[in-house]
Amino acid sequence: MDENYSRVKKVKESNGIGIAGFVLSIVSVVVSFTSLFSVIFWILGIIFSIMGLFQKPKGLAIAGTIISAVSGLLFILIIVFAFLVMNAVK
């Protein structure tokens, strides 16, 4: 056996905060149609995703930030639509 082989394994970097932000942003999109808890998931998702942007790797943190932004816009559109419908009913 050749003694020149390095016995050091490469450790893959992970971004736990970015992953948490990504998961919370996905949950906020899923829950946005059923509950007002989506606001909590949305806020936590955007906070963790932005925090994850300062660590490497950034892929899931970027995805979480984009999904959280879309989820926030979706929530705002649902609220505006609800107010328009309520005013139209009166």
Side-chain angles (χ1 to χ4, degrees), residues 36 71-89:
L36 289 176
S71 176
L73 288 173
L74 180 66
F75 179 74
I76 291 169
L77 288 175
I78 289 172
I79 296 297
V80 167
F81 182 72
F83 279 121
L84 291 174
V85 168
M86 294 300 281
N87 286 335
V89 170

Side-chain angles (χ1 to χ4, degrees), residues 31-41 75 78-79:
V31 176
S32 67
F33 297 110
T34 60
S35 173
L36 289 176
F37 287 116
S38 67
V39 175
I40 296 169
F41 292 123
F75 179 74
I78 289 172
I79 296 297

Side-chain angles (χ1 to χ4, degrees), residues 56-76:
K56 289 184 181 179
K58 296 182 181 188
L60 288 177
I62 292 170
T65 304
I66 293 169
I67 294 170
S68 290
V70 170
S71 176
L73 288 173
L74 180 66
F75 179 74
I76 291 169

Side-chain angles (χ1 to χ4, degrees), residues 17-40:
I17 294 175
I19 294 170
F22 177 73
V23 170
L24 286 169
S25 64
I26 293 291
V27 169
S28 72
V29 170
V30 171
V31 176
S32 67
F33 297 110
T34 60
S35 173
L36 289 176
F37 287 116
S38 67
V39 175
I40 296 169

